[in-house]
Amino acid sequence: SQKIEQNSEALNIQEGKTATLTCNYTNYSPAYLQWYRQDPGRGPVFLLLIRENEKEKRKERLKVTFDTTLKQSLFHITASQPADSATYLCALDPGNTPLVFGKGTRLSVIA
Amino acid sequence: DAGITQSPRYKITETGRQVTLMCHQTWSHSYMFWYRQDLGHGLRLIYYSAAADITDKGEVPDGYVVSRSKTENFPLTLESATRSQTSVYFCATLGGTDTQYFGPGTRLTVL
């Protein structure tokens, strides 16, 4: 069956460290994968999109990798800050239907 | 203001009542989506629409009805609300760069 999984429900890290979130998928061949941020009581907000022919994408302190062989995307936040605390969702393009979302990882950055 | 709005933001209703959640966008994006978000399930697609008068089922359409007579509006109706439909509902549109833009959500409680 098709699955998209974010391995950790919750992740706690210390301020200043690099947070790494994982998104794995099975039985999909996505043309691209996206990451969203969701704060409590709000809708998700788009952060980054990475296409199947791109290995890595960066935006300020954010970095996303996409390994189509491992069927995995990694999302990194470097020099993390308490303001980075939120739930992060990965989403993939399954082809001819809308995005499929993972359940999210709740990141807490502790000062 | 440009963007995507949802109303009401909070709604309490009783089992068996009909409820309509409204979604309005000012961008004229073709695609619009309705999701529900529940603990343990993440974001699940209810219905989506590729254009006015074109709608399609998502992962969890049972008990819901949608219509789209105008590009900017995409209402979601619960014809006879059940307790299992207690959830947070998000409307979204699809922008030109494959990015989804989410509304602020409607928290629905069915008693």
Side-chain angles (χ1 to χ4, degrees):
Chain A
S1 63
Q2 294 176 315
K3 284 184 193 175
I4 176 170
E5 292 178 319
Q6 294 186 244
N7 290 6
S8 303
E9 267 193 40
L11 180 65
N12 297 327
I13 63 162
Q14 279 201 308
E15 182 176 9
K17 301 290 186 186
T18 295
T20 298
L21 284 61
T22 305
C23 179
N24 294 294
Y25 58 93
T26 54
N27 294 323
Y28 286 111
S29 297
Y32 60 82
L33 196 143
Q34 300 181 354
W35 285 86
Y36 289 77
R37 170 183 172 139
Q38 186 175 21
D39 291 289
R42 300 195 149 200
V45 174
F46 170 79
L47 294 174
L48 282 166
L49 179 153
I50 185 165
R51 300 195 182 273
E52 60 180 339
N53 61 346
E54 298 174 314
K55 296 292 184 191
E56 182 180 297
K57 205 90 172 268
R58 291 177 186 260
K59 179 182 174 183
E60 297 171 355
R61 294 184 295 111
L62 308 180
K63 184 178 87 171
V64 173
T65 63
F66 190 9
D67 188 325
T68 55
T69 301
L70 291 178
K71 297 187 183 296
Q72 180 180 80
S73 175
L74 299 179
F75 176 80
H76 307 272
I77 306 175
T78 57
S80 58
Q81 304 165 0
D84 296 325
S85 299
T87 296
Y88 292 87
L89 307 170
C90 70
L92 59 78
D93 160 49
N96 57 359
T97 55
L99 285 179
V100 175
F101 283 84
K103 293 180 183 178
T105 296
R106 189 173 66 253
L107 175 67
S108 297
V109 181
I110 302 158
Chain B
D1 288 345
I4 180 168
T5 56
Q6 292 183 235
S7 61
R9 293 294 315 279
Y10 302 91
K11 177 75 176 178
I12 299 174
T13 191
E14 294 177 338
T15 303
R17 291 194 180 258
Q18 183 179 79
V19 177
T20 296
L21 310 184
M22 304 301 293
C23 178
H24 175 78
Q25 57 134 336
T26 60
W27 294 301
S28 298
H29 289 164
S30 294
Y31 276 87
M32 295 186 75
F33 309 88
W34 273 107
Y35 294 89
R36 60 178 290 173
Q37 188 173 40
D38 306 284
L39 276 174
H41 289 282
L43 277 169
R44 291 183 291 174
L45 183 66
I46 304 170
Y47 269 96
Y48 65 104
S49 168
D53 298 321
I54 301 175
T55 61
D56 213 339
K57 295 179 181 179
E59 182 187 353
V60 289
D62 292 344
Y64 302 95
V65 174
V66 292
S67 61
R68 195 160 174 214
S69 57
K70 292 184 179 181
T71 300
E72 60 266 31
N73 296 324
F74 190 34
L76 176 75
T77 298
L78 288 66
E79 292 192 299
S80 178
T82 64
R83 289 199 183 92
S84 65
Q85 293 176 309
T86 292
S87 186
V88 181
Y89 291 85
F90 289 102
C91 179
T93 69
L94 182 66
T97 52
D98 296 320
T99 302
Q100 287 202 6
Y101 297 92
F102 285 82
T106 294
R107 184 175 293 274
L108 176 68
T109 302
V110 183
L111 301 176

